[in-house]
Structure formats: C-alpha cells, structure tokens
Amino acid sequence: MVRWLAAAGAFVVSLDSLVNIALPAMAATFGVPPEQVRWIIICYVGTYAVTSFVGGAAADRLGHLAVFRAGCVLNAAGFVVCALAPAFGVLLAGRAVQGLGGGLVYGTAPALVTAGAAASSLARRVAFLNGAMGLGFALGPLAAGVLVDTLGWRAIFLARVPPALALLAWAMLLRAQRGAAIQRLVSARDVLRRAVLGPGALSFVANGSIFAIWLLAPFYLVTARGLSATVGGALFMLTPLGLATAAPLAGRLAASIGPRALMVAGLALEAAGLFVLSRAGAATPLPLLALTLFAAGFGLGLFQVPNMTLVLAAFPAGQQGAAGGFAFLARTLGMLTGVAVLAEIFAARRAVVGFQAAYGEAFLVAAVAAAVAGGFGLGGRRRP
C-alpha cells in the first residue's frame, strides 16, 4: 500500500507540468519577458533540488512517511499562494513553498516504493515510480491547455489543491513501517564515490538538456506557431508521455542488457530528438514535431530508470532516503542549470538573430550536451 502511496505522491507532484504550457499566459499577466519567466521554474526546481536530498536523508531518521506527509501539506499551501498571487514576486514565493513540499515528497518516494524490495526487483520498482511520474508529466500539459483556455492560468494551481489534500488524508491513514536501525546519517564519504557521482553526473546533463523542451517549446508552439494553449498542450504532453511509456520497458530491459547500455541508448535518442527540434521552424509539419517530442521523452525515460537504479544500489539499505534524495538532487540540479543556461543563451541570441534562430541554437546546445553525456557513458561502460 505504501508503494502505491509513494507513486501517487510522485504523480501529484509531477503534475507541475501543468505550469509550462501556461508560462506565456503568466508572462502576459505580469508583463515579464520570456527569459524572466525562467524564475517561475527556478524558484520551484531550485528549492526541491536541495529539499529532496536533505529531506530524504532526514527521513532515514525521522521516518519516510512522516516527511512525506509534511511534503503534502507544504505542496497544498504552495498551490494556494500561487493561485492567489497578486504580483510576480508573490508567485515566485509560492513556487518556493511548493518546491519545499515537492522536494520532501520526491525525496522520500524512492525509499517508500522500494521498501523491502529484493535486488532483483529493484529496477521494476523504480520503473513503477518513474512511470507514475511520467504519467503526471504527460497529463499536465493537456489539462493545462484546457484550463488556461477556459478558466485562466490560476486554475492550474487551484485544481491541484484537492488531489494534494486527498494524498495527505491517505498518508495519514497509513501506519509507518519500522525500518532497520540507522547507525549514522549519510555523510560526504557516502556520496563522493564514483558509483554515486558517475550516474549523478549523467542524470544532471540528461535532465538539463531536456529542459530546452520544458522552457522553450511552449513559446515556440503557442507564440511562434500561433497554436492555442489546448493544441500546444496536446503536443507538449508527448515528451512526458514518451517518458511514461519508456519507464516499464526500461524496467524490463535493464536486467537483460544492463543499465549502462540502456542509459547510453536513452541519451542517444534524447540527443537525436533535441537536434531535430533545433531545426524546427514555422513550417515544420506538426506530425514530425509530435514524433520528435515523443522520441526525446522516450529517450529520457529509457535513461532514468537504470540511472536511478544504479544510484539506489550504491547506497546501503538504511540510507535509501538519502539515495533517492540524491537521485532527485542530481536530476533537479540539471533541470535548474538547464533552465538558467538555456534561457541565457536564448535571451542573448534573440536580441541578435531573432526568436527562431535563438530557439534553434539553444536546442542545439542541449542536443550536443546529451550526446556528450552518452559518449561518457560509453567510456564508463568499457572500463573494468
């Protein structure tokens, strides 16, 4: 039952993909340019990047379910603040509160979902969690498009309050399981190892690269192509739908072909998708865009499951909260860096070459980064 609760929590937090297709509407409400909108993402992702690791490590002592509950409370509070924000600064503050809650849920979910799992079933448990996250990411953009077109962008936050409260009620009904005695908290020597930092570095780059889609694709689809938020959301959801579709397949393939080979294949597919998107223009056929957006997400999905499995396996059983937190720390620090760097590239180049060329250059940088990460993954695979 706890495993389903953890997956449901990750699903609710991952519905934050509602926000991305609404970024143009938010920018219009508060009168800020596209590059300033990155702070809506940074305040959220940057907060939960740190909170996921700290919260996961603390949960090894305090109890994973107790920390998970605290995350549900903060998440709901953040939604309310964002929905009622009268100014851009208040919206950013609400996003930070939301990030605190999301980080506590994400940081404890891997430990909860893998509790008591044998080593042979670890990849399947991780795939189950990543599938739930991918499903949340996939449903968000389409729902957001409908909400923005009919009720306005504030509805994307208000609509998430009831699920967050329902999740809290479910968590309160469950009894915490007593885990093994913890000898010590996680320390630097537990983290500063090649078995941990290697997969973490690859995750950093893979997730930083995919944020070219999360940040810039909504403006390309809605602003440059003139699509409605509903149609743009339907296209945008194909990237997380690819991630959700790949997760169960990756859970099965990881045991047969090995996690590193699967990670390299995923990075290669992600890089190819980002490269094709870098060539997209005003006349690019929508079916080609749809296929490419799906492929990039599918590649990331193939990568995420074996990557998180390696990180969880690198920590002892008593530190699975810290292990899950580190997996999300590497993932979200990559997102944060991707948002900051790609937005800066886009803003600097847009003033010189215009929107479309700057968009293409930002995506090209992301594609090259993913390809280089895949090359390093190949090199690591050949080493004994």
Side-chain angles (χ1 to χ4, degrees):
M1 200 66 175
V2 173
R3 176 170 55 143
W4 285 93
L5 172 69
F11 171 83
V12 170
V13 174
S14 298
L15 282 172
D16 201 70
S17 57
L18 282 157
V19 171
N20 295 79
I21 203 65
L23 291 177
M26 294 182 197
T29 296
F30 296 111
V32 296
E35 55 269 20
Q36 285 296 102
V37 171
R38 62 179 160 172
W39 290 105
I40 297 175
I41 298 175
I42 289 174
C43 286
Y44 172 67
V45 175
T47 304
Y48 89 67
V50 177
T51 309
S52 60
F53 179 63
V54 174
D60 288 331
R61 279 292 180 89
L62 301 175
H64 300 113
L65 192 56
V67 175
F68 182 92
R69 290 168 181 156
C72 294
V73 172
L74 289 170
N75 227 4
F79 296 150
V80 173
V81 173
C82 290
L84 303 179
F88 190 61
V90 179
L91 175 64
L92 298 184
R95 291 289 283 169
V97 174
Q98 188 189 333
L100 288 172
L104 294 181
V105 172
Y106 271 159
T108 52
L112 289 171
V113 84
T114 59
S120 59
S121 64
L122 186 61
R124 289 194 296 274
R125 293 284 187 97
V126 171
F128 176 68
L129 177 63
N130 278 269
M133 292 171 58
L135 183 61
F137 283 134
L139 293 178
L142 182 59
V146 175
L147 288 171
V148 171
D149 281 342
T150 57
L151 300 174
W153 65 264
R154 295 181 188 274
I156 68 173
F157 293 108
L158 286 175
R160 297 170 66 193
V161 176
L165 294 178
L167 187 68
L168 174 62
W170 185 5
M172 295 301 294
L173 291 174
L174 294 182
R175 178 179 296 180
Q177 296 176 330
R178 183 175 298 276
I182 306 300
Q183 300 300 319
R184 58 180 174 80
L185 285 172
V186 66
S187 65
R189 71 170 182 245
D190 298 310
V191 176
L192 300 179
R193 296 180 290 125
R194 180 176 170 181
V196 175
L197 295 182
L202 294 179
S203 179
F204 177 91
V205 177
N207 286 279
S209 298
I210 206 70
F211 248 72
I213 294 176
W214 295 110
L215 177 67
L216 297 176
F219 288 95
Y220 166 71
L221 294 171
V222 175
T223 304
R225 293 297 295 261
L227 303 175
S228 68
T230 302
V231 175
L235 286 169
F236 185 75
M237 72 176 287
L238 291 172
T239 295
L241 183 62
L243 193 154
T245 304
L249 176 63
R252 293 192 295 269
L253 290 177
S256 58
I257 69 174
R260 293 200 175 273
L262 193 56
M263 286 196 300
V264 171
L267 287 168
L269 184 56
E270 179 189 352
L274 291 170
F275 175 76
V276 174
L277 287 170
S278 75
R279 316 307 298 169
T284 302
L286 292 184
L288 176 60
L289 277 177
L291 178 62
T292 308
L293 287 165
F294 182 85
F298 194 88
L300 183 64
L302 290 179
F303 168 85
Q304 297 277 41
V305 171
N307 181 264
M308 182 179 280
T309 302
L310 286 177
V311 172
L312 291 174
F315 284 80
Q319 293 180 349
Q320 288 304 283
F326 176 83
F328 278 104
L329 174 66
R331 185 180 295 193
T332 51
L333 283 179
M335 295 175 184
L336 185 65
T337 304
V339 169
V341 172
L342 294 171
E344 198 62 39
I345 292 171
F346 173 74
R349 294 298 295 160
R350 187 184 62 165
V352 179
V353 298
F355 176 93
Q356 195 61 53
Y359 162 91
E361 290 176 10
F363 266 85
L364 182 60
V365 169
V368 170
V372 170
F376 275 102
L378 275 176
R381 183 178 171 222
R382 282 195 293 265
R383 293 191 196 98

